[in-house]
């Protein structure tokens, strides 16, 4: 009993001290650690393995801090020519001093002239909303190259250059991250009934096979089969069909040599802008399976050397109550990791290796959803301005790409530098008096084509791909088209004035008006606004069949396709009163488009409020679905929904990876309202999805969100808003009137907007929002 009293007395004393300390700390709140992180130089997270051709690089960082309401009020950037100087806070190149600004994106260098072919180091610190200074960030190195090279094939070309890294010379790119080989171990190695070694990797990648053998006793030649598709009996499929990749490689082995690469033949560029690897790099091909023929013993090791552009697997994450959706996300994220292996977006790695505007745009918006990477997107847009492909609508993607780049990065330099080129890409010279454009009315001249840098043989509308077989041709002809008569255009009827291309033209005019306003060009801004209003009026007058409430495929055409109706909705051309009929029609069509058209279809469905159907379509297991891709065995999204829709389809086409965009931008509704996510909107539209969580990268930092739906219209959303960011949250509106809205357990006032519950102006921090 005495011991118990003694213990109680001692415990009470300790508690009094603890409570006193807690009270003291509560009265004098601890200053948060606001050290900036995630530094970027000219949009490169790792500029130390690149060289910059810009005399005045831009610096970006993620504001530090993890608590509520952390906002940057000032910053200081210092740049030095030696890391030791920076350690001593001696900035011999530039010291910005304390700048009272919340700007943490695209801060332009403003110091002494940088030298070519040199290295520099920079760091930054910030002051919080209470003017408390934080600690300096870790320093970041960047390297300069040639500022005014006269050897470029086109403005902005990025070349291979040599760079000394840690005392060793390596090849890197100008103004983008390098591509590197990464060792991947197999998941299994077995002997098949032929006595061959059959090697399985978890997923396909573009790479080369590396084999380590015990010292061979005699000279011999092994046969190595590499492929994306396996065959029964643990074999690589030698005849996979379509453009599915298969390679047979002869591999000589000899005594005294243990390590071998199954060297592939060099890729031959058969298309105008096909990409080839530098001579110092081993050739790659897509494969998931390998089969080694003629090896008596077991190999010491077998590795897939996967060629990958910079990718941070930890930058994003997603999981939901739908197993199908989880598989689809993983498929698409892996696709976005392995397909940019050339350091630029390409349509596929086996057949053409050529950048196309539409492919690149879908890849761009999908890539933003899974990684904090921006340089490859900008370089691809730059490349395609001067090296375009043939379809009219593909040219009209360039302005969309430039605007997406600006909204993701907040860096307007690309818009400023290429403004005149962007104006050309609107294709205004093809317009008649009512503002509608056409390639069939005699306005496509050699001068016009040269002005948009196109020197090919065909310049025409595409709608979707493949187009199928025109009615006056043999539907059983050979080639790369669909083996079905209608192709992927939903039997679109082409005319002189087509609906789809004019929907793209309208969207270009709207965006160019915004760009002109941003860049301080009031005359152009007024022109583009007036012009877009004219096109919108003409579009609805010429293409809308008022009796049916649907858009036809073109002027004078009766047929109404999915494409002619989904694009006007996606681009803001359709009047709201037409939504019920358009929604009914589009839903009835299903996935009557290729994977390229899918993100536009989902844009339209969510704009129409058809989120329940959109979710069911996204996780569908029909032949036109991402689950079908998974079912037939690819681990990278395929070019078409199935080989029956495109006879030469590939198993490595990134334009099929849009579900990462759909999940982030539509199901979670995470969208920038201001450039670089200075203000972000979060508007979950879960449809029938019960619960999900996401880790979503932005240039300002990571947004975390998790929702759960409960019976009776109850809804929970937990979000984490990064520092220096504001959020506007729109929650699903319950059907009942007697609901309450809680934030972190306390009831709060709210507004109703767009059939949603609005909680506005949330500062950085963690919030639990509940509808009860």
């Amino acid at each position: 009993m005495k011991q118990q009293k003694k213990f109680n007395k001692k415990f009470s004393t300790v508690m009094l001290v603890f409570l006193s300390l807690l009270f003291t700390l509560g009265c004098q709140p601890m200053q948060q650690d606001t050290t900036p992180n995630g530094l970027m130089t000219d949009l490169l997270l790792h500029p130390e393995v690149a060289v910059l051709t810009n005399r005045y690089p831009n610096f970006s960082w993620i504001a530090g801090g993890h608590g509520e309401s952390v906002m940057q009020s000032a910053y200081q950037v210092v740049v030095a020519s030696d890391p030791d100087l920076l350690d001593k806070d001696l900035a011999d190149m530039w010291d910005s001093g304390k700048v009272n600004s919340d700007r943490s994106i695209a801060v332009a260098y403003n110091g002494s002239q940088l030298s070519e072919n040199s290295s520099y180091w920079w760091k930054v610190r910030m002051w919080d909303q209470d003017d408390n200074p934080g600690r300096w960030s870790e320093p970041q190195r960047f390297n300069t190259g040639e500022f005014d090279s006269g050897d470029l094939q086109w403005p902005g070309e990025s070349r291979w250059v040599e760079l000394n890294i840690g005392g060793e010379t390596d090849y890197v790119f100008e103004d983008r991250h390098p591509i590197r080989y990464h060792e991947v171990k197999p998941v299994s190695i077995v002997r098949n009934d032929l006595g061959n070694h059959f090697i399985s990797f978890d997923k396909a990648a573009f790479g080369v096979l590396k084999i380590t053998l015990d010292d061979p006793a005699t000279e011999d030649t092994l046969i190595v089969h590499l492929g994306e598709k396996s065959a029964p009996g643990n074999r690589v499929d030698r005849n996979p069909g379509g453009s599915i990749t298969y390679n047979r490689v002869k591999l000589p082995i000899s005594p005294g040599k243990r390590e071998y690469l199954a060297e592939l033949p060099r890729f031959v560029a058969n298309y105008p802008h096909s990409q080839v690897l530098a001579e110092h790099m081993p050739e790659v091909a897509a494969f998931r399976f390998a089969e080694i023929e003629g090896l008596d013993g077991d190999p010491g090791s077998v590795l897939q050397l996967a060629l990958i552009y910079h990718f941070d697997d930890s930058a994003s994450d997603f999981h939901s109550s739908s197993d199908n959706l989880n598989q689809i996300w993983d498929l698409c994220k892996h696709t976005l990791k392995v397909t940019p292996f050339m350091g630029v977006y390409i349509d596929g790695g086996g057949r053409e290796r050529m950048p196309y505007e539409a492919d690149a745009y879908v890849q761009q918006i999908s890539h933003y959803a899974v990684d904090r990477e921006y340089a490859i997107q900008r370089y691809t847009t730059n490349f395609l301005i001067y090296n375009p492909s043939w379809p009219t609508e593909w040219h009209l993607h360039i302005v969309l790409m430039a605007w997406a780049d600006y909204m993701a990065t907040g860096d307007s330099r690309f818009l400023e530098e290429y403004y005149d080129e962007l104006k050309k890409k609107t294709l205004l010279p093809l317009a008649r008096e009512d503002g509608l454009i056409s390639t069939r009315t005699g306005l496509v001249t050699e001068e016009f084509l040269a002005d948009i840098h196109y020197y090919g043989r065909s310049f025409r509308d595409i709608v979707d791909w493949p187009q199928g077989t025109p009615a006056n041709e043999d539907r059983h002809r050979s080639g790369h088209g669909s083996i079905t008569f209608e192709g992927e255009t939903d039997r679109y009827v082409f005319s002189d004035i087509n609906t789809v291309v004019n929907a793209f033209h309208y969207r270009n005019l709207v965006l160019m008006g915004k760009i002109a306003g941003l860049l301080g060009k009031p005359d152009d801004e007024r022109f583009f606004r007036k012009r877009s209003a004219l096109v919108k009026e003409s579009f609805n007058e010429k293409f809308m069949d008022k009796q049916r409430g649907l858009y036809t495929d073109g002027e004078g055409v009766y047929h109404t396709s999915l494409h002619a109706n989904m694009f006007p909705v996606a681009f803001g051309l359709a009047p709201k009163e037409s939504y019920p009929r358009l929604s009914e029609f589009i839903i009835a069509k299903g996935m009557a488009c290729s994977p390229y058209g899918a993100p536009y279809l989902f844009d339209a469905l969510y704009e129409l409020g058809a989120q329940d159907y959109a979710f069911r379509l996204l996780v569908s297991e029909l032949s036109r679905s991402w689950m079908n891709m998974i079912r037939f065995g690819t681990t990278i999204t395929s070019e078409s929904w199935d080989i029956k829709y495109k006879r030469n389809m590939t198993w490595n086409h990134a334009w099929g990876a849009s579900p990462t965009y759909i999940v982030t931008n539509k199901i979670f509704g995470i969208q920038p309202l201001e450039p670089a996510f200075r203000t972000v909107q979060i508007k979950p539209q879960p449809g029938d999805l019960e619960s999900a969580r996401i880790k979503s990268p932005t240039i300002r930092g990571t947004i975390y969100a998790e929702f759960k739906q409960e019976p009776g219209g109850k809804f929970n959303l937990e979000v984490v808003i990064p520092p220096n960011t504001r959020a506007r949250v729109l929650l699903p509106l319950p059907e009942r009137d007697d609901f309450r809205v809680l934030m972190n357990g306390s009831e709060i006032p709210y507004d109703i907007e767009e059939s949603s519950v609005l909680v506005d102006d949330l500062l950085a921090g963690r919030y639990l929002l509940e509808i009860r």
Side-chain angles (χ1 to χ4, degrees):
M1 180 66 72
K2 287 181 181 180
Q3 277 186 329
Q4 183 67 44
K5 286 181 179 179
K6 187 176 180 180
F7 172 80
N8 288 341
K9 184 177 180 180
K10 184 177 180 181
F11 178 76
S12 299
T13 303
V14 171
M15 281 301 296
L16 283 171
V17 172
F18 174 75
L19 290 171
S20 175
L21 178 62
L22 190 63
F23 178 77
T24 302
L25 291 173
C27 293
Q28 300 177 358
M30 251 185 190
Q31 183 184 332
Q32 283 203 71
D33 179 8
T34 54
T35 307
N37 61 88
L39 275 59
M40 299 179 112
T41 306
D42 270 357
L43 300 178
L44 293 172
L45 195 59
H46 295 286
E48 71 276 8
V49 289
V51 297
L52 307 182
T53 60
N54 179 14
R55 293 179 184 274
Y56 304 98
N58 278 11
F59 304 119
S60 302
W61 58 89
I62 297 173
H66 303 285
E68 292 185 12
S69 307
V70 177
M71 301 294 286
Q72 176 185 295
S73 64
Y75 68 83
Q76 182 180 8
V77 173
V78 292
V79 182
S81 61
D82 189 287
D84 292 336
L85 291 175
L86 209 61
D87 288 342
K88 299 172 184 176
D89 295 334
L90 298 175
D92 62 328
M93 298 305 297
W94 183 42
D95 185 342
S96 71
K98 182 181 179 183
V99 180
N100 293 316
S101 170
D102 67 353
R103 189 180 185 105
S104 60
I105 304 297
V107 173
Y109 176 76
N110 192 27
S112 301
Q113 182 173 319
L114 300 175
S115 299
E116 293 185 333
N117 303 309
S118 302
S119 294
Y120 298 93
W121 289 258
W122 75 283
K123 63 182 180 180
V124 61
R125 65 171 173 166
M126 61 169 273
W127 283 257
D128 67 14
Q129 67 277 4
D130 298 319
D131 204 34
N132 296 310
R135 293 187 299 210
W136 288 102
S137 69
E138 290 295 317
Q140 184 177 74
R141 170 184 165 178
F142 66 92
N143 313 295
T144 59
E146 296 181 14
F147 295 142
D148 298 304
S149 175
D151 298 330
L152 300 181
Q153 297 182 60
W154 65 86
E157 181 193 7
S158 167
R159 303 164 300 179
W160 282 104
V161 294
E162 291 185 0
L163 177 68
N164 188 288
I165 302 176
E168 295 185 5
T169 299
D170 197 1
Y171 285 93
V172 299
F173 283 132
E174 295 172 317
D175 303 313
R176 48 185 170 144
H177 287 118
I179 51 179
R180 294 284 187 259
Y181 295 94
H182 297 259
E183 293 186 348
V184 181
K185 295 180 179 179
V187 293
S188 66
I189 302 177
V190 298
R191 288 261 194 177
N192 62 21
D193 56 3
L194 299 175
N196 299 338
H197 293 81
F198 179 74
I199 301 101
S200 298
F201 295 90
D202 185 40
K203 296 176 180 178
F206 291 89
V208 60
L209 195 72
K210 179 180 178 180
I211 306 170
T212 302
L213 303 175
D214 293 333
D215 193 3
T218 59
E219 290 188 357
D220 201 351
T221 298
L222 307 180
I223 302 298
V224 178
H225 306 273
L226 300 173
E228 294 177 288
K229 187 179 180 184
S230 64
N234 291 322
R235 301 178 189 180
V236 172
D237 194 332
R238 273 76 156 163
N239 187 27
S243 293
I244 302 167
T245 306
Y246 165 72
N247 281 282
R248 182 180 184 272
V249 180
K250 291 183 178 181
L251 181 61
I253 60 174
S254 58
K257 185 177 179 182
R258 298 187 68 247
E259 290 190 352
Y260 297 86
L261 290 182
E263 294 185 13
L264 294 156
R266 302 304 289 188
F267 175 80
V268 178
N270 292 316
Y271 294 84
H273 309 305
S274 294
Q275 303 295 294
V276 296
L277 289 174
E279 291 181 2
H280 69 274
M281 304 187 72
E283 189 55 76
V284 298
F287 71 93
R288 183 186 178 190
F289 304 104
E291 188 178 345
I292 302 174
E293 185 179 331
L295 180 63
D296 292 332
D298 291 331
S301 71
V302 181
L303 296 171
Q304 179 191 61
L305 299 187
L307 185 59
I308 295 175
Y309 181 79
H310 170 264
F311 192 87
D312 181 2
D313 277 299
S314 67
S316 63
D317 189 38
F318 171 77
H319 187 77
S320 76
S321 55
S322 168
D323 183 60
N324 280 12
L325 191 55
N326 297 338
Q327 292 183 61
I328 292 167
W329 173 278
D330 290 344
L331 168 73
C332 296
K333 181 176 178 178
H334 178 70
T335 297
L336 295 162
K337 175 180 179 178
V338 299
T339 51
F341 67 95
M342 296 298 301
V344 64
Y345 291 151
I346 55 176
D347 70 322
R351 190 175 61 238
E352 296 178 43
R353 292 192 185 178
M354 177 174 162
Y356 283 90
E357 296 88 339
D359 301 63
Y361 175 69
V362 175
Q363 197 167 354
Q364 174 187 14
I365 60 176
S366 305
H367 198 165
Y368 287 148
V370 294
D371 198 8
R372 190 169 173 258
E373 164 64 38
Y374 308 100
I376 193 172
Q377 294 91 330
R378 180 165 291 191
Y379 177 68
T380 303
T381 309
N382 189 126
F383 177 94
L384 284 164
I385 286 175
Y386 296 101
N387 301 277
S389 59
W390 60 267
T392 321
E393 295 95 323
W394 275 209
H395 285 253
L396 290 164
H397 275 82
I398 288 293
V399 174
L400 276 63
M401 294 169 71
W403 184 252
D405 171 277
Y406 173 63
M407 291 302 291
T409 67
D411 184 344
S412 62
R413 288 176 299 166
F414 188 89
L415 302 179
E416 295 165 3
E417 184 173 357
Y418 295 104
Y419 179 75
D420 290 338
E421 296 294 341
L422 296 176
K423 286 174 66 175
K424 297 173 187 177
K425 290 297 182 178
T426 64
L427 309 185
L428 270 167
L430 301 185
R432 62 187 189 183
E433 288 186 3
D434 62 1
L436 301 179
I437 66 171
S438 172
T439 60
R440 293 186 178 184
T441 53
L443 297 175
V444 179
T445 63
E446 289 187 9
E447 182 182 3
F448 163 77
L449 294 175
D451 212 30
I452 60 172
H453 310 289
Y454 182 68
Y455 304 99
R457 292 174 296 177
S458 175
F459 182 73
R460 58 186 171 85
D461 298 354
I462 188 172
V463 175
D464 206 334
W465 189 255
Q467 291 179 314
T469 306
N472 61 344
E473 295 187 24
D474 179 9
R475 72 180 64 183
H476 300 294
R477 65 181 182 176
S478 61
H480 54 244
S482 169
I483 61 174
T484 60
F485 177 66
E486 62 271 18
E488 294 292 71
T489 64
D490 192 30
R491 302 189 181 188
Y492 193 95
V493 176
F494 289 83
S495 64
D496 287 349
I497 307 293
N498 289 314
T499 304
V500 169
V501 72
N502 277 286
F504 272 98
H505 180 58
Y506 169 77
R507 181 61 178 159
N508 273 242
L509 297 173
V510 169
L511 293 180
M512 284 306 301
K514 294 181 178 181
I515 293 169
L518 168 72
L519 300 182
K521 300 177 183 293
D523 291 343
D524 279 6
E525 181 182 10
R526 282 190 293 271
F527 168 79
F528 283 116
R529 286 186 174 180
K530 184 177 179 180
R531 191 74 176 190
S532 63
L534 171 65
V535 170
K536 186 173 187 177
E537 180 181 1
S538 299
F539 189 97
N540 283 296
E541 179 185 341
K542 302 294 184 181
F543 301 136
M544 171 63 80
D545 183 329
K546 294 178 176 58
Q547 282 191 324
R548 292 183 289 170
L550 300 173
Y551 290 100
T552 63
D553 294 348
E555 188 175 41
V557 175
Y558 183 78
H559 185 258
T560 57
S561 64
L562 170 66
H563 302 73
N565 288 274
M566 73 182 187
F567 282 110
V569 175
F571 291 155
L573 280 155
K576 298 282 186 181
E577 58 268 23
S578 67
Y579 276 19
R581 176 65 184 115
L582 288 168
S583 179
E584 178 185 23
F585 176 81
I586 291 172
I587 288 174
K589 283 288 183 178
M591 194 79 80
C593 61
S594 76
Y596 147 72
Y600 296 110
L601 171 58
F602 281 88
D603 282 347
L605 288 171
Y606 281 98
E607 170 62 25
L608 293 168
Q611 56 180 294
D612 292 349
Y613 170 74
F615 172 71
R616 292 194 295 271
L617 186 64
L618 183 59
V619 298
S620 164
E621 297 184 7
L622 298 176
S623 63
R624 291 178 173 273
S625 72
W626 287 277
M627 287 304 297
N628 189 49
M629 296 183 190
I630 293 170
R631 182 166 54 240
F632 60 61
T634 186
T635 57
I636 305 173
T637 55
S638 54
E639 185 178 8
S640 63
W641 300 117
D642 200 288
I643 200 165
K644 66 185 178 183
Y645 301 121
K646 192 173 189 298
R647 70 179 73 214
N648 71 333
M649 81 162 186
T650 71
W651 272 18
N652 49 69
H653 223 82
W655 77 358
S658 62
T660 62
Y661 161 78
I662 296 164
V663 167
T664 304
N665 198 269
K666 302 303 175 186
I667 291 180
F668 278 91
I670 298 173
Q671 302 177 21
L673 294 180
E674 291 184 273
F677 289 82
R678 183 176 183 181
T679 301
V680 60
Q681 176 172 285
I682 303 175
K683 184 184 178 182
Q685 299 180 82
D688 296 331
L689 184 61
E690 182 182 313
S691 63
R693 67 172 185 266
I694 195 168
K695 178 183 180 184
S696 180
T698 78
I699 198 166
R700 286 180 183 267
T702 303
I703 295 171
Y704 297 87
E706 182 172 2
F707 67 75
K708 184 176 182 181
Q709 300 192 84
E710 298 178 2
K714 295 180 180 179
F715 190 85
N716 296 341
L717 175 68
E718 187 171 3
V719 294
V720 178
I721 311 301
N724 223 25
T725 304
R726 296 175 182 270
R728 194 169 190 268
V729 179
L730 292 160
L731 303 172
L733 180 66
E735 295 181 0
R736 54 189 174 84
D737 296 327
D738 60 338
F739 65 88
R740 299 176 301 137
V741 179
L742 283 70
M743 183 167 69
N744 296 337
S746 300
E747 189 167 349
I748 59 169
Y750 60 88
D751 292 316
I752 303 296
E753 183 178 302
E754 300 178 7
S755 301
S756 300
V757 177
L758 172 63
V759 181
D760 204 0
D761 202 25
L762 296 182
L763 300 179
R766 182 184 295 271
Y767 300 91
L768 175 60
L769 300 170
E770 301 173 89
I771 292 183
R772 287 290 177 260

